[in-house]
Amino acid sequence: MWTHVASIETNATPAAVWTLWSDVAGWKQWNAGIVNIELHGPFADGTRFTMQVPGDDIFTSTLLTVRENQEFTDETIIDGNRVLVFHRIEALPSGLTRISYSTEITGPQEAEFGPMVVGDFPDVLAALKRRAENQ
């Protein structure tokens, strides 16, 4: 299994971050790695979404777990590889909020896929932080 964790702290509230996460159509406003995205139902367990990334690749993902103001997990299967991304919001004692993306990849190309999947996470988290702080 290939794993990776990226996180950032913000003075935005968990609810402010959640507002951005639950607006799936709006992800492309703060995630440059998304050309187009469409949620096929409510932002809830079991709902699928399709996402087009630069280069015209389109992926279908499933929301496995959605817990308001806390976390959501999505699963994408690509060429026999399972990509899980755990998106978490944690209110810290300091009053700040930690946003974390934890990734687990299993499959025949896990080591190859890993860096491609998480390569832009620092930029995505920084953009998400800016957007959440300026709502």
Side-chain angles (χ1 to χ4, degrees), residues 20-94:
L20 295 172
W21 277 354
S22 60
D23 175 22
V24 174
W27 289 3
K28 59 186 175 182
Q29 296 173 14
W30 48 267
N31 186 333
I34 298 174
V35 173
N36 194 28
I37 191 161
E38 185 177 345
L39 184 66
H40 305 284
F43 192 68
D45 296 5
T47 299
R48 292 179 183 249
F49 62 93
T50 50
M51 181 170 61
Q52 181 181 4
V53 298
D56 295 326
D57 287 330
I58 298 175
F59 303 105
T60 299
S61 301
T62 303
L63 295 169
L64 297 182
T65 307
V66 178
R67 293 176 49 210
E68 187 173 356
N69 294 327
Q70 296 177 43
E71 67 181 348
F72 76 93
T73 302
D74 62 62
E75 173 191 57
T76 309
I77 307 294
I78 306 168
D79 297 332
N81 297 278
R82 182 180 191 219
V83 180
L84 291 172
V85 182
F86 304 88
H87 307 75
R88 294 188 176 105
I89 308 169
E90 178 185 3
L92 301 173
S94 65

Side-chain angles (χ1 to χ4, degrees), residues 106-129:
T106 53
Q109 298 164 300
E110 61 191 40
E112 213 178 294
F113 276 38
M116 290 188 301
V117 170
V118 306
D120 68 345
F121 281 9
D123 293 336
V124 170
L125 286 167
L128 175 59
K129 173 184 174 170

Side-chain angles (χ1 to χ4, degrees), residues 88-108:
R88 294 188 176 105
I89 308 169
E90 178 185 3
L92 301 173
S94 65
L96 295 175
T97 299
R98 180 179 297 128
I99 307 166
S100 300
Y101 286 14
S102 301
T103 307
E104 294 179 2
I105 303 174
T106 53

